Amino acid sequence: MEPRDLVDTAIRLGKEAGADQVEAFFLEHSNLSIEVRRQRLETLRQSKERGIGIRVLKGESLGYAFTSDLTPEALRQSAESAVDNAKYVSPDPARCLPGSETIDLALAQFDPELKATALEKKIDLALAIEQAAFEQDKRISKSERSVFEEGEYLVAVANSYGLNVSYKGNFCGGYAWVVAEENGDAQTGSGLFYSTRLSKIDPEEIGKEAAQEALSLLGAEPVPTQKLALILPPQAATQF
């Protein structure tokens, strides 16, 4: 069945199972990851997954179930499970499903250039990231990995309040981990950038960022325990 047919079927089955309100969310997601090392293709992974989540309201209680088996019988069992699960959830009078006016499809971004670009050119992007890092300084001695990756998704969502929309989107990006060495000291640096537009991916900037971070850490030493003002780079701040 097509995605819209799947969500419509899930809503019908939810009602048949005894739900007062039903919402179905279908997602199909594909991913491509290209990893290179020493200017050779190391790993190429492609994957795709799809499934549908069914959310129901029974009275004021919410139930949910998910399945990656999209056969009619599996959808029926998932709808029944969602209704059963609602029995064990505390009632909440504020729970409700969104209406059709709550979805802004302008937020979904799909880049046709990314879809149309040949796999070979995407491998070249990963190689260019690594090459750019080595060109920054002779102290960049090793590449742990340089990667280009992309994702594409298709969503269809509908509910018994009249919401019925579908949209697709994609994104891409790259990152690198490289090692700088000097006087017996070795430090690792990383660089990354992601966008919803392939044209915004600059492999030279990603490689440069990784190299500069590794170089900046050369000669770093521990400091005594103390209270002091601290400035964190974005990569470190996200770890908190």
Side-chain angles (χ1 to χ4, degrees):
M1 287 188 283
E2 293 297 316
R4 282 186 177 274
D5 296 330
L6 286 167
V7 295
D8 289 342
T9 299
I11 291 172
R12 175 178 58 81
L13 293 172
K15 291 179 178 179
E16 290 178 359
D20 298 321
Q21 300 177 36
V22 190
E23 184 169 82
F25 183 94
F26 169 86
L27 173 64
E28 180 177 88
H29 180 267
S30 60
N31 184 72
L32 168 68
S33 178
I34 300 167
E35 180 178 332
V36 302
R37 186 178 292 113
R38 299 175 184 175
Q39 289 297 285
R40 293 184 178 181
L41 178 62
E42 187 82 7
T43 307
L44 191 153
R45 298 187 184 92
Q46 289 181 297
S47 62
K48 178 178 285 189
E49 57 185 359
R50 60 204 312 249
I52 189 167
I54 303 174
R55 184 168 62 156
V56 305
L57 283 174
K58 180 69 173 176
E60 296 178 342
S61 297
L62 179 70
Y64 177 80
F66 173 86
T67 179
S68 58
D69 182 349
L70 302 180
T71 61
E73 181 57 30
L75 290 175
R76 181 178 299 279
Q77 291 177 359
S78 295
E80 293 173 351
S81 295
V83 174
D84 287 341
N85 291 338
K87 299 175 183 178
Y88 306 100
V89 177
S90 300
D92 182 349
R95 285 196 177 104
C96 63
L97 299 181
S100 58
E101 71 282 355
T102 61
I103 303 296
D104 184 0
L105 294 180
L107 298 175
Q109 300 188 53
F110 183 84
D111 181 12
E113 180 187 0
L114 176 59
K115 179 74 172 180
T117 299
L119 178 62
E120 290 76 12
K121 290 187 177 181
K122 295 169 183 177
I123 295 174
D124 289 342
L125 278 171
L127 293 169
I129 292 171
E130 183 184 61
Q131 184 61 33
F134 281 116
E135 290 175 351
Q136 296 304 309
D137 195 290
K138 63 181 181 180
R139 290 173 292 176
I140 302 299
S141 59
K142 299 175 184 176
S143 169
E144 293 188 355
R145 72 178 67 89
S146 292
V147 175
F148 172 84
E149 61 182 5
E150 67 177 66
E152 181 177 327
Y153 56 89
L154 169 65
V155 170
V157 58
N159 64 30
S160 51
Y161 262 177
L163 175 65
N164 194 331
V165 296
S166 61
Y167 57 91
K168 61 180 179 179
N170 56 12
F171 61 90
C172 61
Y175 62 90
W177 287 85
V178 299
V179 178
E181 293 185 274
E182 185 178 44
N183 300 326
D185 184 20
Q187 299 289 345
T188 301
S190 64
L192 77 160
F193 185 81
Y194 283 79
S195 175
T196 55
R197 291 288 182 267
L198 179 63
S199 60
K200 292 185 177 180
I201 304 300
D202 186 340
E204 292 188 5
E205 285 299 318
I206 298 171
K208 180 180 179 181
E209 180 183 7
Q212 290 183 342
E213 182 178 275
L215 292 167
S216 69
L217 294 172
L218 288 172
E221 297 179 355
V223 298
T225 301
Q226 58 187 291
K227 290 184 178 181
L228 74 169
L230 181 64
I231 299 175
L232 296 174
Q235 298 92 327
T238 59
Q239 301 303 312
F240 287 85

